[in-house]
Amino acid sequence: MEFSKLLIALFIFQAFFFPFSSIHAAPASSKLFREYIGAEFNNVKFSDVPINPNVDFHFILSFAIDYTTSSSPSPTNGEFNIFWDSDNLSPPQVSSIKSERPNVKVALSLGGDSVGGGSAYFQPSSVNSWVQNAVSSLTKIIKEYNLDGIDIDYEHFNADPDTFAECIGQLITNLKGSGTISFASIAPFDDDQVQSHYMELWRRYGHHIDYVNFQFYAYDKGTTVSRFLSYFKDQSSNYSGGKVLASFISDGSGGLSPNGGFFTACSQLKSQGDLHGIFVWSADDSMNENFRYEKQSQSLLASSP
């Protein structure tokens, strides 16, 4: 009886002091596979990509950018427009793949490296105005496309880390709080300016961010297994408590390649309980290899305990 009272007291304590912990965290899964799609306009469709029914599969539409769609794009202070291949990746196609494959969710990624031949900058006029515009414009896109989450992939900045952290942090918490999205991720890489912005965001709002799509392929081409594992350990420390995903790039232009030991490294992480998932950049390039590494990635994840 006394033990039961103790359990009840502990439950009340947790509910009182940590009321939101279960709301903002995505369900734990070591079988998560994510793939960026649509940025290179290679006519790739959702249905082209092999989907293992035994993994949690996220497509990430690339990109929504707060720039105009004119021939000379300019920043719009949070008014997002679609810059992915919307002809092949349209709202009906999103609904179709989600209906056919119940293990599939679809997200959109914000920012990216470039727009209209130039760098895509994070350039808000103010925190409040950017957040207001971003929430409004993204909510429309997310509802139109029946999307599940967002990914943050800004890589160039005309704002300091504090401003970036507040804009993105408030955006995520607002969209989650309204039920517009169920998960959010960030996609940093090992660059001093990039890390300063994303680590400040993580420090303030990490408890609202479900996945860290760390771009391990931004490291040097020819990265070894041991070096990759060292990088993974470093970034897991930088984003402490986060689900840092392993990653590779389809065209083999950087990092640890699939035929150079990537799956060896993932198997080692899995054996240690540290493989939170795998993501790939990108489906557009993977078509050239008939998605063979996607199949291998998902097979490895599906065999996870």
Side-chain angles (χ1 to χ4, degrees), residues 93-243:
Q93 288 163 322
V94 171
S95 296
S96 177
I97 195 67
K98 289 175 68 174
S99 174
E100 294 169 6
R101 301 280 190 166
N103 60 319
V104 167
K105 295 185 184 301
V106 184
L108 61 78
S109 187
L110 309 184
D113 174 58
S114 61
V115 59
S119 295
Y121 282 91
F122 177 74
Q123 190 169 317
S125 298
S126 68
V127 171
N128 288 341
S129 63
W130 189 93
V131 171
Q132 182 176 357
N133 291 338
V135 168
S136 175
S137 59
L138 286 172
T139 297
K140 291 177 183 177
I141 295 172
I142 291 166
K143 289 184 175 180
E144 178 187 0
Y145 276 78
N146 187 25
L147 303 179
D148 304 285
I150 63 171
D151 174 69
I152 311 301
D153 189 24
Y154 281 104
E155 303 186 5
H156 308 282
F157 307 90
N158 280 333
D160 59 30
D162 289 346
T163 301
F164 177 73
E166 284 307 313
C167 284
I168 300 300
Q170 290 183 33
L171 171 66
I172 291 172
T173 55
N174 190 298
L175 293 178
K176 278 193 168 187
S178 65
T180 305
I181 61 171
S182 58
F183 60 81
S185 59
I186 57 174
F189 57 93
D190 193 28
D191 170 89
D192 287 346
Q193 185 186 43
V194 169
Q195 290 279 61
S196 68
H197 285 72
Y198 281 92
M199 289 175 67
E200 182 60 25
L201 170 62
W202 185 260
R203 187 183 71 81
R204 299 187 189 193
Y205 291 94
H207 54 295
H208 295 296
I209 297 168
D210 303 286
Y211 314 109
V212 180
N213 282 13
F214 198 86
Q215 298 181 48
F216 289 103
Y217 45 81
Y219 287 109
D220 291 342
K221 181 178 181 179
T223 296
T224 62
V225 170
S226 61
R227 180 59 62 185
F228 178 91
L229 292 172
S230 176
Y231 292 150
F232 189 91
K233 182 178 179 181
D234 290 343
Q235 301 310 329
S236 295
S237 176
N238 284 336
Y239 299 93
S240 179
K243 298 171 186 172

Side-chain angles (χ1 to χ4, degrees), residues 34-39 44-46 58-65 82-86 88-91 93-94 105-111 141-142 145-151 153 281 284:
R34 318 187 86 203
E35 179 133 41
Y36 290 88
I37 188 170
V44 64
K45 301 178 178 65
F46 297 123
H58 291 180
F59 282 110
I60 306 176
L61 296 166
S62 310
F63 291 93
I65 312 175
I82 291 170
F83 285 84
W84 65 75
D85 183 2
S86 57
N88 289 296
L89 304 167
S90 63
Q93 288 163 322
V94 171
K105 295 185 184 301
V106 184
L108 61 78
S109 187
L110 309 184
I141 295 172
I142 291 166
Y145 276 78
N146 187 25
L147 303 179
D148 304 285
I150 63 171
D151 174 69
D153 189 24
W281 177 275
D284 303 57

